[in-house]
Amino acid sequence: MSPKNFSLEALIRPNILKLKPYRCARDDYSEGILLDANENAFGPSVPAAAHHDLPDTLLARYPDPYQRELKAQLADWRGLTRAAWDHVFLGVGSDEVLDIVMRVACTPGTDKILVCPPTYGMYTVSADINDVEVVKVPLDVDRAFALDVDAVLKALEADAKIKVVFLCSPGNPTGSVLVESDVRRILDFDGWNGLVVMDEAYIDFADQRSAVALIKQYPNLLVSQTFSKSFGMAGVRLGVAYAQPPLIAVLSKTKAPYNISNPTAQLGIAAMSPQGLSTFKTNIAAAKEQRARLLRELPKLPRAGKILGTSDANFVLIQVLGKDGRPCNATALALYKALAEEHKVVVRFRGNDYGCNACVRVTVGTREEVDYLLAKWRTHFATAKV
Ligand SMILES: Cc1ncc(COP(=O)(O)O)c(C=O)c1O
C-alpha cells in the first residue's frame, strides 16, 4: 500500500472517528408491520399517475440507508466486483460527496484544503461554509492546464494543516484530463498525511480510464463521480464516491441516514440496467459527435480565439477576440450577455477564472442546439459594438 505514512486514524477529525452512527429499528428488522419509524401507513399524497411504476410503499416508507444493491451494481460497472459495494458511497449529487469529505477531515477554523485553479467553484464554497482555508496551486496554463506537481508537493510539505487535495479530471472549466502519472506522484507523496479527491464528474466523456482503477492501491484516494452529466440525470441528485472501505465507512456514518431517496435509488438502478447503459452509450456517442462539431466549427466563427484545454468533457472552453484581434474579456462578456438576453441561448462566461481570460464555456448540446448557437454567435458579431 502506498504512501507508506498514510494514516486514516490520524487524518479524520477525532469527533468523527468517535461518532456513533444514527441507528434505526430497521437496521435490525425491516419486514412485517412497520410501526417503528412514524411513517404514514395511509400512503403518499401523490396522485398514482404522477409516480408511475413506483409502489406506494416506496414513497411512504423511509429508504434503505445502505443502498447495497445500487452500490453493488456501481462497483461492478466500474470494474470492481459486486462484492465491493463497501467501496462505494452515495451522495445527494457529488456536491454532497465533496462536502462530506471536507467535513470528516478538516476541523473548522484550523485545517485547509488545496485546489488547483481554474477549477470547480464548489470546493471553495464548501470550504467557506465549513470555515476551512483554501490553498491554491494553479494549473499550468501553458501545458493545457496540466498539474504543477512539484508546486503541489511543495505546498503539501510546507503545511501540515492541508488535509484534502481536490483534483478535477476532466477539469471544469478546463476540460483537460489530468495525466495519471502526475496524480500518482501526489498519491505516492509521503511528505504529508491527507486525502486526494479525484473529481471525475466528466470522466465518461474522456478517453482516459477512471482513477477507480487505482482505488485498491491507494487508501488516500477518493474518486467522486455523478449521474448528473454522462447519465443525463442532474435533476435526480445522485453522486457516487469510490474509495477503500475504511474511508467509505467514515463517510457513511457521517451522512444523513436517509440521504438517498427511494425514487432516486430506483432511477439509479434503472440507469444501471442493460437498457439504461445502452442509452448511456448512445448518448455519450452523440455528445462526442457534437463536441467534435463544436471543436471544428467554433474556431471558424467571427472573433473566435483559441480553444483552451483538451476538451475531454462535455463542453468547450474558447477565447473570444476583441476588434484588435486579441483576447478580450469585455467582448466575451458582451457576447455572453447578448446570447442570453437577445437570443435566448445561455453559455457561461469564464473570463474571470485564472488562466481563462476572455473565455466562454459552451456546453455540448443537441445537433439543433449547436446549429442555433453557431448561428446566433455569427448574428451577434455582425453588428457587435465591442
Ligand atoms: C467538476 C464538477 N464536480 C461536481 C459537480 C457537481 O455535480 P452534482 O450534480 O453531482 O452535484 C459539477 C457540476 O457542475 C462539476 O462540474
Side-chain angles (χ1 to χ4, degrees), residues 157-346:
E157 193 154 42
D159 194 344
K161 297 281 185 206
I162 300 174
K163 297 296 167 70
V164 188
V165 173
F166 286 91
L167 305 178
C168 192
S169 179
N172 177 9
T174 66
S176 298
V177 284
L178 300 177
V179 177
E180 196 179 287
S181 55
D182 283 353
V183 175
R184 274 178 184 269
R185 278 186 64 204
I186 299 173
L187 286 166
D188 282 325
F189 185 55
D190 259 334
W192 77 310
N193 188 42
L195 295 172
V196 176
V197 172
M198 274 292 272
D199 181 348
E200 291 191 336
Y202 301 98
I203 191 66
D204 297 317
F205 299 105
D207 295 326
Q208 181 164 305
R209 71 173 182 171
S210 162
V212 172
L214 306 178
I215 288 294
K216 292 273 182 210
Q217 197 183 337
Y218 292 104
N220 53 340
L221 170 64
L222 178 132
V223 181
S224 170
Q225 299 181 350
T226 179
F227 279 73
S228 296
K229 313 293 180 183
S230 51
F231 282 93
M233 293 166 62
V236 175
R237 310 307 301 133
L238 183 54
V240 187
Y242 297 87
Q244 290 188 8
L247 175 55
I248 293 294
V250 168
L251 303 181
S252 299
K253 72 173 180 173
T254 307
K255 77 177 177 70
Y258 307 114
N259 65 332
I260 304 303
S261 76
N262 280 327
T264 297
Q266 292 291 306
L267 290 168
I269 287 170
M272 286 285 109
S273 68
Q275 200 188 337
L277 290 174
S278 149
T279 305
F280 163 88
K281 265 197 182 156
T282 309
N283 290 348
I284 297 266
K288 284 184 169 176
E289 197 180 316
Q290 293 312 312
R291 179 178 69 192
R293 269 190 80 214
L294 280 174
L295 291 172
R296 267 194 323 270
E297 300 301 326
L298 280 173
K300 297 180 193 161
L301 294 175
R303 306 285 198 91
K306 267 197 305 196
I307 286 172
L308 300 195
T310 49
S311 307
D312 297 304
N314 67 338
F315 51 81
V316 174
L317 184 68
I318 183 164
Q319 278 186 326
V320 183
L321 308 179
K323 286 195 160 154
D324 60 0
R326 295 217 301 257
C328 176
N329 241 6
T331 307
L333 189 58
L335 169 68
Y336 159 72
K337 285 193 169 160
L339 286 175
E341 291 169 18
E342 291 164 36
H343 304 296
K344 304 289 173 231
V345 53
V346 185

Side-chain angles (χ1 to χ4, degrees), residues 13-64:
R13 292 166 62 195
N15 59 314
I16 302 284
L17 270 186
K18 275 197 309 226
L19 185 72
K20 290 211 167 37
Y22 177 79
R23 277 186 65 79
C24 54
R26 242 161 268 181
D27 289 338
D28 304 316
Y29 310 105
S30 59
E31 277 164 25
I33 297 173
L34 297 172
L35 302 180
D36 58 310
N38 306 340
E39 296 146 330
N40 188 327
F42 304 94
S45 300
V46 180
H51 57 91
H52 306 288
D53 295 336
L54 282 178
D56 273 6
T57 50
L58 279 193
L59 298 193
R61 298 297 179 178
Y62 281 108
D64 170 10

